[in-house]
Amino acid sequence: MAMLTMPVSSEGQKSLASTLDIYVFPTAGQDSKQQSTDEASCYSWAVSNTGSDPFEVSRQAEQHAQQSASSQQQASQAGAGSGARGAFRGAAVGALIGEIADDDAGKGAAIGATAGLLRGRRLGRQEQARAQQQAQQQSQNQQQATAQQMNSFKRAFSVCLEAKGYMVK
């Protein structure tokens, strides 16, 4: 089985198209220098027509991935301390009710603290789940937008090269 290799310029560097995972084959006898010139021209044309520079889009995607990881980390911390806050509130309400009901604020506070703790933990878990879902949705939306920009650029770049007599895959 023959092995495919990336097109390289005479200086041993990958061609512009190959860095974008696009394979360009000259069909009209173009040499590597002409192909490199045509690729640069089509690159500029595609950037101006799509408004997307794939190298800038890739850089932004990396930044968004880092932000997404940070958001996921923050989402995992959402709701932290909810049980303690719930217990505190429950104890306060329980003490008040216990004092009014049977002159035993301590017993009411203990019951209220337990109920508040359970409610607080449940609300904390719900808050954490909502925060994680939101962070995940934002990440997915950004990935889709990046993919759409890259696909749009690659289509424009390919059309330009095909018009210049290259087969593009």
Side-chain angles (χ1 to χ4, degrees):
M1 178 188 242
M3 189 168 137
L4 294 176
T5 59
M6 290 290 227
V8 292
S9 68
S10 57
E11 296 85 35
Q13 297 176 351
K14 290 169 72 173
S15 72
L16 181 58
S18 67
T19 62
L20 299 169
D21 291 328
I22 297 174
Y23 296 91
V24 179
F25 306 96
T27 59
Q30 302 96 323
D31 62 15
S32 63
K33 184 177 179 184
Q34 181 62 47
Q35 182 175 340
S36 183
T37 300
D38 290 341
E39 286 181 12
S41 172
C42 287
Y43 181 89
S44 295
W45 181 84
V47 168
S48 68
N49 280 281
T50 64
S52 298
D53 181 335
F55 296 108
E56 180 64 23
V57 170
S58 293
R59 187 186 64 74
Q60 289 173 353
E62 288 176 21
Q63 288 177 339
H64 289 296
Q66 291 172 353
Q67 289 172 349
S68 176
S70 176
S71 293
Q72 288 285 354
Q73 179 64 27
Q74 289 173 353
S76 70
Q77 299 300 318
S82 296
R85 286 191 301 273
F88 180 74
R89 288 184 192 125
V93 171
L96 181 63
I97 292 171
E99 184 64 33
I100 293 170
D102 64 1
D103 290 331
D104 190 355
K107 182 178 176 184
I111 293 170
T114 302
L117 174 69
L118 296 175
R119 182 175 186 274
R121 284 184 179 166
R122 181 176 45 85
L123 292 175
R125 283 192 297 271
Q126 289 173 348
E127 182 181 342
Q128 183 180 28
R130 268 192 305 275
Q132 286 177 331
Q133 184 179 18
Q134 182 180 16
Q136 196 172 39
Q137 185 63 45
Q138 287 173 343
S139 176
Q140 288 173 350
N141 290 346
Q142 188 57 47
Q143 289 172 353
Q144 288 173 347
T146 298
Q148 192 174 25
Q149 287 177 312
M150 290 298 284
N151 288 337
S152 177
F153 175 86
K154 286 180 177 184
R155 281 193 310 271
F157 183 69
S158 296
V159 164
C160 178
L161 286 169
E162 287 171 355
K164 292 183 179 279
Y166 295 89
M167 181 171 55
V168 181
K169 297 288 178 192

